[in-house]
């Protein structure tokens, strides 16, 4: 049985800090970005403001680094397409 949540290693470029988030596989990228942005804005208010414009970007992968994930896709769908995996390196951009 597949785990219901996926671990993401999220870089916040504004601070250079990395954070780990567990997100439900059935959650959309947009929903996760909204939650992550709010949490990170509260942790680093001098460096980051959640403005609703953030995207989730691939940090590593065969020629995919720097590409944004489709905000309407679920993590389960992205995983099925081979675009993300448990422990993936991503950035909130």
């Amino acid at each position: 049985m597949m785990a219901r949540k996926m671990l993401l290693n999220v870089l916040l470029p504004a601070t250079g800090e990395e954070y780990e988030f567990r997100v439900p596989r059935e959650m959309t990228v947009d929903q996760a970005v909204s939650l992550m942005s709010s949490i990170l804005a509260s942790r680093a208010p001098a460096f980051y403001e959640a403005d609703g414009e953030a995207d989730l970007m691939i940090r590593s992968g065969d020629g995919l680094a720097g590409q944004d994930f489709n905000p309407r896709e679920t993590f389960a769908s992205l995983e099925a397409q081979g675009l993300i995996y448990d422990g993936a390196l991503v950035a909130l951009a």
Side-chain angles (χ1 to χ4, degrees), residues 27-38:
M27 182 177 268
T28 66
V29 171
D30 189 49
Q31 292 168 326
V33 166
S34 178
L35 290 172
M36 288 187 278
S37 293
S38 295

Side-chain angles (χ1 to χ4, degrees), residues 5-6 8 10 14-15 22 24 32 36 38-39 45-47 53-54 57 60-61 63 69 71 78 81 88 93:
K5 294 188 179 181
M6 176 178 287
L8 299 177
V10 181
T15 63
R22 287 205 180 277
M36 288 187 278
S38 295
I39 292 167
F47 298 100
E53 299 295 319
M57 180 180 67
S60 63
F69 291 105
L78 292 170
Q81 297 172 52

Side-chain angles (χ1 to χ4, degrees), residues 10-84:
V10 181
L11 171 69
L12 182 60
T15 63
E17 297 288 327
E18 293 183 359
Y19 302 88
E20 288 186 348
F21 286 93
R22 287 205 180 277
V23 297
R25 282 182 158 80
E26 295 308 318
M27 182 177 268
T28 66
V29 171
D30 189 49
Q31 292 168 326
V33 166
S34 178
L35 290 172
M36 288 187 278
S37 293
S38 295
I39 292 167
L40 295 178
S42 71
R43 292 192 48 92
F47 298 100
Y48 182 73
E49 180 180 328
D51 61 6
E53 299 295 319
D55 292 310
L56 196 63
M57 180 180 67
I58 301 170
R59 287 175 43 203
S60 63
D62 301 324
L64 299 175
Q67 292 184 20
D68 293 337
F69 291 105
N70 180 338
R72 291 182 229 99
E73 293 271 8
T74 65
F75 289 98
S77 174
L78 292 170
E79 185 176 36
Q81 297 172 52
L83 297 174
I84 199 165

